[in-house]
Amino acid sequence: MSTVRGARERARIEVTAAIKDEARRQLAADGAAKLSLRAVARELGMVSSALYRYFPSRDELLTALIVDAYDSVGEAAESAHRTADPGPSTSAAHLARWVAVACAVRGWALEHPHEYALIYGSPVPGYTAPQATIGPASRVGRVLIAVVEDAHREVGLALPPLGEELRPEAERLAADLAPELPPAVAVSIVAAWSQLFGLLSFEIFGQFNRVVEDRDIFFRHAVEELARTVGLLGTAGRGQTGTAGRARR
Amino acid sequence: MSTVRGARERARIEVTAAIKDEARRQLAADGAAKLSLRAVARELGMVSSALYRYFPSRDELLTALIVDAYDSVGEAAESAHRTADPGPSTSAAHLARWVAVACAVRGWALEHPHEYALIYGSPVPGYTAPQATIGPASRVGRVLIAVVEDAHREVGLALPPLGEELRPEAERLAADLAPELPPAVAVSIVAAWSQLFGLLSFEIFGQFNRVVEDRDIFFRHAVEELARTVGLLGTAGRGQTGTAGRARR
DNA sequence: GTCTATAACGAGATAGAC
DNA sequence: GTCTATCTCGTTATAGAC
């Protein structure tokens, strides 16, 4: 009897996966706004009403795709964090971990541009994301926080500046997201988090066309600089440029 | 006769504007993917074939909306740059100008979220932007470059670091976009440009919901830090934090 | 109980004849 | 320009197969 239930459940999981796969295909072709239950069913040789056994509405299917996408990038980031060279706890190693996570997210985005657009692009008209998406949506951010927390614990951070009028927000952010970190760093991480996706959106959505050529190297450089803004130190604690100051002709 | 032609042309301009206004309304309601010439015509009491006298295809109407949006945000940025306090040529004044431009762009985005999504959100499926959009698309970036060029000329910049493997790309970028600026700065401006829109996209598209509360102040702080990454110095040339170094417990 | 198929609804888009 | 016949869509009610 348990084997029967097992078989049923296996079948259910398989059909559910097939529906989502086909939905993702249509996402890539026509965009989230035009995702249609009927078209998915047709393509799968089912009848549209049968889909309702698996997803109670079109919006719930969309939600499932969104959650899957967040989990997929989140997993990519977490895996990069886990497998990053666990060598000596130097500043350089922590910086390398930050870069590895960012590059993993970028790799995912380049491989799944349509799912990227689904979660980080324009909102789908008429659809409002339910509570269920907010957990998965924060996974990448939590990895970034973890990298900085490790660095803070093991080698320390350069404290970013923090204006007085930002202090309340900074303390709220730190309390909510990273109680171990100084408030100024919490603010900088949130900013860096969004700026990381700014780099990615411009690349994925084509704003870098005819502008940035060598995107691998450009991205790597940009996220290294981003790491500096959250207090990660790099090799030698270089605050400004080596030969800083003024630069004219 | 020239008055007749003038009247005709005036009418044509008016109808064109009415079509675009209605199209923008539909953009806000249903998203760019579902923009339909027929629906626009219906709402205006015209017949769909009449619209083709003004826009030869749905894609051309979309292009017009996109160009308008880029011009609109570009104009907001340029106007903020023009009217920014032309006081003394101090580092602080240049930083203030950078912030003013960024805040103007943010103000435009908050007022026109759907047009923002049209140009900085997910690409419209099946639509590829023609050449005509690339000029208007660069207006905001050119304002940012102008701010930094002014600062470079008048008070100098802190040179961002530049790795060896990035040098060819940096020199190409500088030659293309800002021949007056050091290559390292050109790279940083492009990065800051995309990161600025990362901040905006996260705010406009809802990623900051339940995360960032006081968005005005958060944004202002973030773009000030962004200014630092392009070499703008702020008041006192603070490279790192005043009380920098390590920060534990 | 779990699933699929048929049929239908109201709304909207589309194509073509006129 | 207008009208109509024919599509699509999301969703539900119902009936029957396993």
Side-chain angles (χ1 to χ4, degrees):
Chain A
M1 183 172 159
S2 85
T3 65
V4 172
R5 240 192 90 196
R8 254 215 277 273
E9 270 179 21
R10 229 174 302 125
R12 184 175 178 83
I13 288 169
E14 249 172 57
V15 177
T16 305
I19 292 170
K20 291 200 285 192
D21 282 348
E22 177 56 33
R24 269 185 281 266
R25 267 206 43 249
Q26 296 196 13
L27 214 65
D30 302 322
K34 290 195 186 156
L35 178 66
S36 130
L37 278 191
R38 286 187 111 108
V40 171
R42 197 182 321 122
E43 216 65 26
L44 290 173
M46 305 172 75
V47 87
S48 67
S49 56
L51 283 203
Y52 284 82
R53 291 272 152 196
Y54 300 87
F55 297 95
S57 73
R58 190 201 88 124
D59 280 9
E60 299 256 359
L61 173 55
L62 245 186
T63 299
L65 297 178
I66 288 170
V67 169
D68 278 6
Y70 276 129
D71 278 335
S72 181
V73 235
E75 172 56 31
E78 286 161 17
S79 152
H81 184 223
R82 260 195 316 272
T83 65
D85 150 53
S89 273
T90 62
S91 291
H94 287 108
L95 181 86
R97 243 161 260 156
W98 171 278
V99 172
V101 168
C103 286
V105 173
R106 174 169 177 262
W108 181 90
L110 289 172
E111 274 173 36
H112 306 90
H114 302 103
E115 287 170 80
Y116 180 90
L118 178 65
I119 54 183
Y120 294 111
S122 327
V124 183
Y127 171 86
T128 44
Q131 294 276 347
T133 60
I134 74 176
S138 63
R139 285 176 69 169
V140 169
R142 279 202 299 264
V143 175
L144 296 177
I145 290 171
V147 171
V148 178
E149 278 177 342
D150 289 348
H152 177 244
R153 211 177 315 108
E154 293 169 13
V155 300
L157 300 173
L159 276 186
L162 178 64
E164 254 328 297
E165 76 286 345
L166 188 58
R167 177 162 289 281
E169 177 73 13
E171 281 170 356
R172 221 188 34 71
L173 278 175
D176 279 7
L177 305 173
E180 293 180 32
L181 291 176
V185 175
V187 170
S188 296
I189 293 181
V190 174
W193 171 57
S194 75
Q195 288 166 356
L196 163 64
F197 285 98
L199 290 162
L200 292 179
S201 291
F202 265 34
E203 179 171 0
I204 308 280
F205 296 161
Q207 301 272 0
F208 281 161
N209 291 351
R210 293 159 204 275
V211 180
V212 180
E213 210 101 302
D214 193 339
R215 299 182 187 171
D216 290 353
I217 288 182
F218 175 84
F219 179 81
R220 184 177 207 87
H221 171 82
V223 294
E224 270 176 24
E225 287 303 294
L226 224 39
R228 277 219 309 155
T229 69
V230 302
L232 256 38
L233 293 157
T235 58
R238 45 117 140 83
Q240 314 172 268
T241 326
T243 57
R246 290 170 166 240
R248 291 185 62 173
R249 78 188 54 98
Chain B
M1 182 169 155
S2 86
T3 65
V4 171
R5 242 192 89 195
R8 255 216 274 275
E9 270 180 19
R10 228 174 303 127
R12 184 176 177 83
I13 288 169
E14 250 172 55
V15 175
T16 306
I19 292 170
K20 291 201 286 193
D21 282 348
E22 176 56 32
R24 269 186 280 266
R25 266 206 46 248
Q26 297 197 14
L27 213 65
D30 302 323
K34 288 194 186 156
L35 179 65
S36 124
L37 279 188
R38 285 183 104 96
V40 172
R42 192 184 328 121
E43 215 64 28
L44 290 173
M46 307 170 73
V47 90
S48 64
S49 56
L51 277 202
Y52 286 86
R53 300 232 160 245
Y54 299 89
F55 296 96
S57 74
R58 188 202 83 128
D59 281 9
E60 300 257 357
L61 173 55
L62 246 186
T63 299
L65 297 178
I66 289 171
V67 168
D68 278 7
Y70 276 129
D71 278 335
S72 179
V73 65
E75 171 57 31
E78 286 161 17
S79 152
H81 185 223
R82 261 197 315 272
T83 65
D85 149 53
S89 274
T90 63
S91 291
H94 287 107
L95 181 85
R97 243 161 258 155
W98 171 278
V99 172
V101 168
C103 286
V105 173
R106 175 170 176 261
W108 181 89
L110 290 172
E111 274 173 36
H112 305 90
H114 302 103
E115 288 172 78
Y116 180 89
L118 178 65
I119 53 182
Y120 294 111
S122 327
V124 183
Y127 171 86
T128 45
Q131 294 276 348
T133 61
I134 74 176
S138 63
R139 285 176 68 170
V140 169
R142 279 204 298 265
V143 175
L144 296 177
I145 290 171
V147 170
V148 178
E149 278 177 342
D150 289 348
H152 179 244
R153 211 178 312 108
E154 293 169 13
V155 301
L157 300 173
L159 276 186
L162 178 64
E164 253 329 297
E165 76 285 347
L166 188 57
R167 178 161 290 279
E169 176 72 14
E171 282 170 355
R172 220 189 34 72
L173 277 176
D176 280 7
L177 305 173
E180 293 180 32
L181 291 176
V185 174
V187 170
S188 296
I189 292 182
V190 173
W193 171 57
S194 75
Q195 288 165 357
L196 163 64
F197 284 99
L199 290 162
L200 292 180
S201 291
F202 266 34
E203 179 171 359
I204 307 280
F205 296 161
Q207 301 272 0
F208 281 161
N209 291 351
R210 292 158 204 274
V211 180
V212 180
E213 210 100 304
D214 193 340
R215 299 182 186 170
D216 289 355
I217 288 180
F218 175 84
F219 180 80
R220 183 177 208 89
H221 171 82
V223 295
E224 270 176 26
E225 286 302 294
L226 224 41
R228 278 217 309 154
T229 69
V230 302
L232 256 36
L233 293 158
T235 57
R238 44 115 138 85
Q240 315 172 266
T241 326
T243 56
R246 289 170 164 239
R248 291 186 62 172
R249 85 183 57 96

